[in-house]
Amino acid sequence: MDGTRYDVAVLGGGPAGAGLALALRRSTDLRVALFERSTSERFHLGETLPPDSRRLLAQLGVWDAFARQGHLRSMGSCSRWGTSSLAYNDHLRSPWGTGWHLDRARFDGMLADEALRQGADVRTGTAVTGWQPLEGGGYRLFLPVEGDAPRAFVDARFVVDATGRSAVFATSRGARRHTMDRTHGVCGTLPLQPGRGVDALSLVEACEDGWWYSARMPGDQVVFGLMGDRDSLHGLTPKDPEAWRARMAHAPETRQRLEACDFSGASLRAVSANVACLDRLHGEDWLAVGDAACTFDPLSSQGTSQALRSAHQSADAVSRSLQGDTAALRLHEVRVRHQFQEHLRIREGYYRLERRWSGAPYWRNRQQSPAPLPFAAAPNPLSVEKDA
């Protein structure tokens, strides 16, 4: 039995969860616990931070720690989308400098270490196995025990769900995930052949089945993936790499890039990349953040930077809520809804640019009217905050 009482318990140690725990400890004296069930590295498709993420890292107070990690610099991106020619988007004119291709295991570990250094109770390899509301507010969170030991628990005034797409806490409290677009892919990493290299640009290449992504990663690795949907990738499985390589014949830029890689022993995996959101982001003494709240299309390459942005915004909302601001969580939800709607609007424009395979299943599915949002259109958050 533990019985420790915290002000905030954060479930999930990815960038959104660890970043929020860190932000709370830097700006408040709240007692914060961070629970992350995993201790092993998880696969992430081409994690890249854009140059302006330096501002987010500086706000969290971790820019120096991040810079010392030596992540691989990203010089920008190129794409073959809507045309047979390559278009380039480099970082030469960015006032923030270059972006970075991340070693996500090291990056997540750095954020957790910094949260610990700021006074958060960081518990990795610890899965919260259940919870129950407490009289007077907050939750009792149950922890794993061995043998016949008494059931271990901690109490928290407030719970943050940063458990990613599963949103296990929020959905247990009645929230439901609504999917706007069902996207999945077959992805993996390949080592470079000795003496070979690829440039530091991310590559996106549209094809009849969907679109390919590839990028140089730390450790002389290249991450790659073919993103599509159930119709366009029917029959394609991670256990059949030859079928996957055969489809690469229709993506000449990707095929040329991956010629520098060693395909022997290639290990592929299926990944889900649905564009989705919860129908409610908060409730009695809880808030969903990061991918638990909503997931963006991987085409936007905003996964990690959006998680860091969510950490900043959510920490402020949680702190204000615990100080008695009854509107803080509602206004935060309005802001997140507005950002998600803007993402959907911009995303629709990008997919409409590609007309070369308008009759193919993947692109025909993208041209259809999107699924309706499970909530009313969110107004501009600035006008809502002014009215409040």
Side-chain angles (χ1 to χ4, degrees):
M1 180 180 297
D2 187 327
T4 307
R5 183 169 178 84
Y6 299 98
D7 294 303
V8 181
V10 183
L11 311 187
L20 183 146
L22 174 58
L24 282 175
R25 285 301 307 160
R26 281 177 53 83
S27 61
T28 74
D29 59 358
L30 295 172
R31 297 193 64 190
V32 180
L34 175 65
F35 296 93
E36 168 53 47
R37 66 179 182 178
S38 175
T39 57
S40 60
E41 181 177 353
R42 292 169 291 179
F43 178 79
H44 297 274
L45 175 62
E47 296 287 346
T48 301
L49 277 180
D52 62 357
S53 296
R54 176 169 181 165
R55 174 178 54 85
L56 299 174
L57 294 168
Q59 288 174 348
L60 283 174
V62 299
W63 165 249
D64 290 339
F66 172 79
R68 288 194 297 268
Q69 289 191 302
H71 294 277
L72 183 66
R73 290 188 178 274
S74 167
M75 305 309 296
S77 62
C78 57
S79 63
R80 191 168 177 260
W81 189 279
T83 175
S84 59
S85 302
L86 274 177
Y88 291 86
N89 179 26
D90 61 54
H91 296 156
L92 294 178
R93 297 183 180 180
S94 168
W96 303 101
T98 67
W100 302 270
H101 297 300
L102 297 181
D103 180 330
R104 263 296 299 274
R106 292 175 58 214
F107 180 73
D108 289 4
M110 180 273 294
L111 290 177
D113 289 344
E114 291 297 309
L116 178 65
R117 192 169 67 84
Q118 291 292 334
D121 183 0
V122 177
R123 306 192 188 192
T124 57
T126 303
V128 174
T129 59
W131 39 79
Q132 66 182 31
L134 294 171
E135 291 186 14
Y139 293 88
R140 176 157 293 175
L141 307 176
F142 297 102
L143 309 177
V145 295
E146 296 183 2
D148 297 327
R151 195 174 189 187
F153 66 88
V154 298
D155 292 341
R157 294 170 57 199
F158 196 97
V159 173
V160 173
D161 186 342
T163 60
R165 294 174 182 271
S166 61
V168 292
F169 187 91
T171 54
S172 78
R173 307 311 300 165
R176 294 292 177 264
R177 184 169 291 277
H178 290 259
T179 301
M180 311 293 112
D181 192 328
R182 298 188 182 277
T183 299
H184 71 274
V186 178
C187 311
T189 56
L190 293 171
L192 288 168
Q193 298 179 34
R196 301 291 299 274
V198 299
D199 59 45
L201 295 172
S202 300
L203 170 65
V204 172
E205 184 173 14
C207 66
E208 184 175 359
D209 298 322
W211 53 275
W212 290 82
Y213 174 87
S214 59
R216 174 77 178 269
M217 302 302 288
D220 291 331
Q221 302 274 326
V222 175
V223 66
F224 61 91
L226 172 57
M227 308 305 295
D229 60 19
R230 182 176 59 183
D231 294 331
S232 68
L233 302 186
H234 179 72
L236 190 65
T237 70
K239 295 182 180 180
D240 189 4
E242 290 307 313
W244 179 88
R245 292 187 67 179
R247 298 202 183 201
M248 197 189 303
H250 303 291
E253 299 294 339
T254 301
R255 183 181 67 246
Q256 180 178 355
R257 167 175 281 203
L258 295 189
E259 285 177 352
C261 297
D262 179 4
F263 279 84
S264 61
S267 177
L268 307 181
R269 68 188 73 200
V271 298
S272 172
N274 291 342
V275 180
C277 64
L278 293 181
D279 60 355
R280 51 193 293 239
L281 305 186
H282 70 91
E284 190 69 28
D285 300 324
W286 66 265
L287 175 69
V289 303
D291 282 354
C294 56
T295 50
F296 287 11
D297 193 309
L299 183 65
S300 68
S301 297
Q302 292 186 40
T304 304
S305 58
Q306 179 61 23
L308 295 175
R309 193 171 295 109
S310 174
H312 283 286
Q313 297 172 351
S314 304
D316 179 64
V318 171
S319 174
R320 290 166 60 185
S321 177
L322 288 174
Q323 294 174 26
D325 184 345
T326 57
L329 298 181
R330 179 180 63 84
L331 292 176
H332 173 74
E333 178 159 340
V334 169
R335 182 184 297 111
V336 174
R337 296 288 191 218
H338 184 76
Q339 292 169 348
F340 186 69
Q341 289 168 198
E342 278 296 290
H343 169 72
L344 294 180
R345 183 185 63 79
I346 295 171
R347 171 185 179 274
E348 182 180 0
Y350 272 106
Y351 278 102
R352 291 191 181 279
L353 290 175
E354 184 53 83
R355 298 288 186 176
R356 287 176 291 173
W357 304 283
S358 57
Y362 179 81
W363 298 102
R364 186 175 64 245
N365 293 344
R366 307 281 98 55
Q367 300 303 321
Q368 296 174 355
S369 298
L373 293 169
F375 48 83
N380 188 312
L382 294 179
S383 63
V384 173
E385 290 177 1
K386 183 177 180 179
D387 293 342

